[in-house]
Amino acid sequence: MSLTGQAKIAGVAGWPVGHSLSPRLHGYWIAEYKLDAAYIPLPIRPEDFAPAVALLPKLGLRGLNVTIPHKEAAFALATEQDEAAKATGAVNTLIFEDGRIVGKNTDVAGVIGMLHDAGIATLAGKHALVYGAGGAARAVVLALTKLQAAQIFIANRTQSKAQDLAKRFSIPGSAVVAVSEGTELGNVDVLINTTSVGMIGKDAGENASLPALRFDAQPGSAYAIDIVYRPLETPFLSKHRKAGLKIVDGLGMLLHQAVPAFKAWFGIEPKVTPALRAHMIEALKD
Ligand code: NAP
């Protein structure tokens, strides 16, 4: 569909941005809902990000997704932040509205949507183990908290970052577990990898696997989840699939985090469907 002079425009800012799947994702919905809209990649150097954010609303853009390395700058430039952004200290979506710059963290909704699709509507009474303590881990821990997980363990290569993450979400320090081979935990129902270990391009040598902690994950009822989606089935997922756990890949998080942003910019709450997933998997084969 060709654009009119009324077209609504949004985009993704990153440096580089060529790897981003967001134009394909939002472009799919724009075509599906036959909108007079466009979603464009915006390669913006770090030093140009603040002036760009000042200018883009004046050019009529509705907002931006923000990817590496602009997430912290986006948080600082937002004139207001939603609850998830404040809690995580990270912004992945900007909405330009009446002179305001609203910063959102939609990764939290992405994690909840991914878990819902996997049949997890609540974690009440359940124990979760989060590998990693980076930016994405914050969104995951907040999502697990919102789903009322009874216990959240955190394991990270750099112990001090795990402690910081636990403190941020008022998780007892004792829930931070040393990442060493064979460390014993109690019962765990949900394991989530939020590290970049297993990601294509980071897959060699020491990056090949996470240390095997020992826990009682019940085959058949426990879940292993990886938020990495290149490859779709990571070594972490393969290992736990073979051990009889249900596995969930990271593509669902990517798809669901886009829903609130699309709604805010274009006025329609889009659906995450099997057809959309298939469309995105095509691009992951490249
Ligand atoms: P980040 O802030 O840089 O954090 C990276 C994490 O990975 C840290 O916990 C780091 O541990 C750990 N790590 C890196 N290399 C490691 C290694 N060799 N051994 C053990 N731990 C290692 O990155 P992020 O933004 O959280 O992103 C993490 C991953 O999530 C990336 O692969 C990203 O693509 C993915 N992600 C997916 C989605 C989605 O929509 N599915 C959304 C966001 C992010 P240290 O603290 O010890 O350095």
Side-chain angles (χ1 to χ4, degrees):
M1 193 177 132
S2 58
L3 299 176
T4 75
Q6 319 285 318
K8 297 175 179 171
I9 314 289
V12 54
W15 185 260
V17 79
H19 64 283
S20 174
L21 290 176
S22 293
R24 184 177 177 92
L25 169 51
H26 287 274
Y28 178 93
W29 282 326
I30 287 170
E32 184 178 22
Y33 297 110
K34 300 187 172 53
L35 300 184
D36 184 13
Y39 182 99
I40 55 176
L42 293 162
I44 301 177
R45 289 174 190 277
E47 61 272 26
D48 295 331
F49 185 67
V53 169
L55 182 62
L56 291 172
K58 296 178 187 164
L59 299 178
L61 262 76
R62 301 267 162 159
L64 292 178
N65 277 134
V66 178
T67 185
I68 294 167
H70 301 315
K71 287 190 178 183
E72 285 176 13
F75 184 88
L77 290 169
T79 54
E80 55 198 270
Q81 293 102 0
D82 73 356
E83 179 217 333
K86 281 185 192 143
T88 57
V91 156
N92 69 343
T93 302
L94 292 174
I95 296 154
F96 305 145
E97 213 168 53
D98 309 325
R100 298 178 302 146
I101 301 174
V102 181
K104 288 177 174 282
N105 184 326
T106 66
D107 277 342
V108 180
V111 176
I112 292 175
M114 168 182 74
L115 295 176
H116 270 248
D117 282 357
I120 303 174
T122 172
L123 287 169
K126 304 287 186 194
H127 293 192
L129 167 63
V130 177
Y131 278 103
R138 293 184 189 178
V140 166
V141 169
L142 181 56
L144 298 178
T145 306
K146 283 181 175 290
L147 293 179
Q148 297 173 312
Q151 168 84 65
I152 299 172
F153 297 106
I154 302 170
N156 191 47
R157 178 178 61 177
T158 309
Q159 188 94 353
S160 60
K161 289 192 192 164
Q163 295 286 3
D164 291 346
L165 179 62
K167 206 180 285 173
R168 174 177 277 271
F169 292 101
S170 304
I171 294 168
S174 57
V176 173
V177 293
V179 186
S180 50
E181 215 52 41
T183 300
E184 293 220 28
L185 296 173
N187 176 44
V188 170
D189 304 285
V190 178
L191 303 172
I192 306 190
N193 176 40
T194 74
T195 74
S196 49
V197 173
M199 192 168 112
I200 287 174
K202 296 203 168 194
D203 211 3
E206 59 157 4
N207 286 316
S209 65
L210 294 165
L213 305 181
R214 292 175 56 196
F215 42 77
D216 309 320
Q218 298 305 319
S221 64
Y223 289 82
I225 299 168
D226 202 327
I227 69 163
V228 171
Y229 53 81
R230 288 181 208 258
L232 214 46
E233 184 166 320
T234 58
F236 176 83
L237 291 183
S238 297
K239 181 173 97 179
H240 289 104
R241 184 169 54 75
K242 285 177 197 142
L245 275 69
K246 298 181 201 174
I247 65 164
V248 180
D249 64 60
L251 185 54
M253 177 178 169
L254 177 76
L255 304 184
H256 282 282
Q257 62 78 31
V259 170
F262 190 91
K263 185 173 181 208
W265 301 321
F266 303 126
I268 285 183
E269 184 161 330
K271 295 273 175 280
V272 171
T273 59
L276 170 64
R277 198 179 143 83
H279 177 73
M280 298 305 293
I281 288 174
E282 273 306 304
L284 291 173
K285 289 180 185 157
D286 297 345

